[in-house]
């Protein structure tokens, strides 16, 4: 294009060795085509947005494919092709499964088929994964910018009495009068006799925040509370608009303008979920 500067591939941090692959070459050509439509100032902003979107996607390969780049552009543009279905129904075994990677600080797709019959370690992994999800949310909360979370391992390794301790973990009970707090680093006994319970429902197996003092292997609890909640918008601002629930779209359906428009135009529309309804029984209905 005359009088227009085309962005060079290195502005997107492409690996030239990786560009030997056909998929990466297609992604490069698509990138140049898209970015050549903008002037210099707009192009710089779009490059930053696309790179940020790619960093929040779940990638199956270190090579940047055309599909991945198109998904990142779609997230930035907040639109997808009109051929996609806005309403999808699929069974639980078809839904994608994710695990939180605390090294990458992102959700990583779990490969492999699901089964109705779990393995022995599945119950343990379920509890560990749930604690990981809650922990990353707590650490991201603005309510804890002025506080420090301790781990069970750190406290058990301390020889001195420590006051104003805050620990996040799962409450367990080994006997009628004995409670323990477990996190991903270990387990220790806790004394709840003089604890003040804040608003919430607290049960055995509940993930909670305990505040108190630690001494000689025992955490004497003064306050008990639940982890702070987080809005969907706050979660999406951290993880991006990746689709976690399945369907044709690679981005969350809530971000698709066509679906948002359909919801706005059909304010009286409702979806009702029923269970234990036997339609072959004449008395039903």
């Amino acid at each position: 294009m005359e009088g227009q500067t085309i962005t060079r591939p290195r502005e997107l941090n492409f690996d030239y060795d990786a560009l030997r692959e056909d998929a990466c070459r297609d992604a490069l050509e698509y990138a140049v085509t898209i970015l050549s439509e903008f002037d210099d100032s707009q192009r710089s902003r779009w490059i930053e947005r696309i790179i940020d979107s790619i960093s929040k996607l779940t990638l199956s390969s270190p090579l940047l494919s055309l599909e991945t780049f198109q998904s990142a552009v779609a997230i930035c543009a907040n639109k997808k092709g009109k051929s996609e279905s806005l309403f999808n129904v699929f069974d639980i075994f078809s839904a994608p499964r994710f695990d939180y990677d605390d090294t990458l600080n992102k959700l990583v797709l779990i490969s492999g088929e699901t089964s109705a019959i779990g393995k022995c370690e599945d119950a343990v992994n379920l509890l560990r994964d749930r604690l990981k999800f809650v922990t990353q949310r707590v650490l991201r909360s603005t309510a804890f910018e002025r506080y420090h979370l301790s781990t069970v391992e750190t406290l058990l390794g301390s020889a001195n009495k420590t006051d104003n301790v805050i620990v996040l973990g799962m409450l367990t009970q080994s006997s009628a009068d004995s409670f323990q707090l477990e996190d991903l680093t270990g387990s220790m006994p806790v004394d709840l006799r003089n604890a003040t319970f804040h608003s919430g429902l607290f049960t055995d197996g509940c993930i909670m925040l305990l505040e108190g003092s630690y001494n000689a292997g025992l955490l004497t609890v003064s306050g008990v509370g639940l982890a702070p909640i987080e809005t969907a918008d706050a979660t999406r601002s951290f993880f991006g608009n990746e689709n976690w629930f399945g369907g044709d779209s690679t981005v969350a359906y809530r971000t698709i303008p066509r679906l948002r428009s359909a919801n706005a135009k059909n304010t009286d529309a409702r979806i009702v979920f029923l269970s234990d309804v036997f339609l072959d029984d004449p008395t039903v209905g």
Side-chain angles (χ1 to χ4, degrees):
M1 296 183 182
E2 185 177 356
Q4 189 175 27
T5 302
I6 304 299
T7 301
R8 293 187 176 275
R10 61 172 174 272
E11 293 189 38
L12 282 175
N13 295 326
F14 281 101
D15 183 352
Y16 283 97
D17 292 332
L19 291 178
R20 296 174 183 174
E21 299 289 338
D22 291 340
C24 291
R25 187 180 301 109
D26 293 340
L28 175 61
E29 294 175 354
Y30 179 76
V32 173
T33 301
I34 291 294
L35 295 173
S36 63
E37 299 177 0
F38 303 100
D39 58 33
D40 291 341
S41 59
Q42 290 179 318
R43 187 179 302 122
S44 298
R45 290 195 297 269
W46 269 88
I47 289 175
E48 294 177 358
R49 294 173 184 173
I50 293 173
I51 292 176
D52 181 65
S53 297
I54 291 175
S55 67
K56 294 179 180 179
L57 291 175
T58 300
L59 305 180
S60 58
S61 169
L63 304 180
L64 184 61
S65 66
L66 174 61
E67 291 75 13
T68 300
F69 196 92
Q70 288 175 330
S71 298
V73 172
I75 293 174
C76 297
N78 200 25
K79 62 182 179 180
K80 293 289 290 181
K82 293 187 177 181
S83 60
E84 288 186 341
S85 172
L86 294 182
F87 189 82
N88 297 270
V89 178
F90 44 88
D91 61 82
I92 187 62
F93 299 106
S94 302
R97 297 178 298 149
F98 292 90
D99 183 26
Y100 178 74
D101 190 316
D102 46 14
T103 301
L104 300 176
N105 290 328
K106 64 185 299 184
L107 296 178
V108 179
L109 184 65
I110 300 176
S111 60
E113 297 182 354
T114 57
S115 173
I117 303 176
K119 300 179 181 178
C120 296
E121 64 270 18
D122 287 344
V124 176
N125 291 334
L126 172 65
L127 298 176
R128 292 177 61 88
D129 291 343
R130 186 175 67 175
L131 183 56
K132 285 169 58 178
F133 274 104
V134 176
T135 300
Q136 58 88 23
R137 190 183 72 203
V138 170
L139 294 176
R140 195 167 58 247
S141 173
T142 56
F144 280 81
E145 291 179 349
R146 297 181 290 111
Y147 300 98
H148 173 71
L149 284 180
S150 300
T151 63
V152 171
E153 182 181 44
T154 301
L155 294 177
L156 292 178
S158 175
N160 301 321
K161 180 180 179 181
T162 307
D163 296 322
N164 300 321
V165 171
I166 300 178
V167 189
L168 175 69
M170 183 179 71
L171 186 70
T172 60
Q173 187 175 16
S174 58
S175 62
D177 57 350
S178 177
F179 290 92
Q180 289 78 34
L181 183 72
E182 299 183 15
D183 66 6
L184 298 178
T185 66
S187 173
M188 67 178 178
V190 295
D191 184 356
L192 300 172
R193 289 176 295 180
N194 297 318
T196 299
F197 287 80
H198 300 284
S199 299
L201 178 63
F202 303 93
T203 64
D204 184 19
C206 177
I207 296 177
M208 57 185 66
L209 287 161
L210 301 185
E211 181 180 9
S213 60
Y214 172 81
N215 187 30
L218 176 67
L219 178 64
T220 303
V221 181
S222 59
V224 181
L226 297 177
I229 62 175
E230 183 176 73
T231 64
D233 290 336
T235 302
R236 286 296 184 180
S237 67
F238 182 79
F239 288 110
N241 289 322
E242 183 179 1
N243 181 8
W244 297 328
F245 301 100
D248 299 328
S249 177
T250 56
V251 297
Y253 280 94
R254 68 194 292 267
T255 66
I256 299 178
R258 284 199 303 132
L259 181 58
R260 297 170 68 93
S261 176
N263 288 336
K265 294 178 181 178
N266 297 274
T267 56
D268 295 330
R270 297 291 185 271
I271 298 177
V272 180
F273 295 92
L274 304 176
S275 66
D276 299 323
V277 177
F278 303 95
L279 299 180
D280 58 341
D281 188 341
T283 61
V284 175

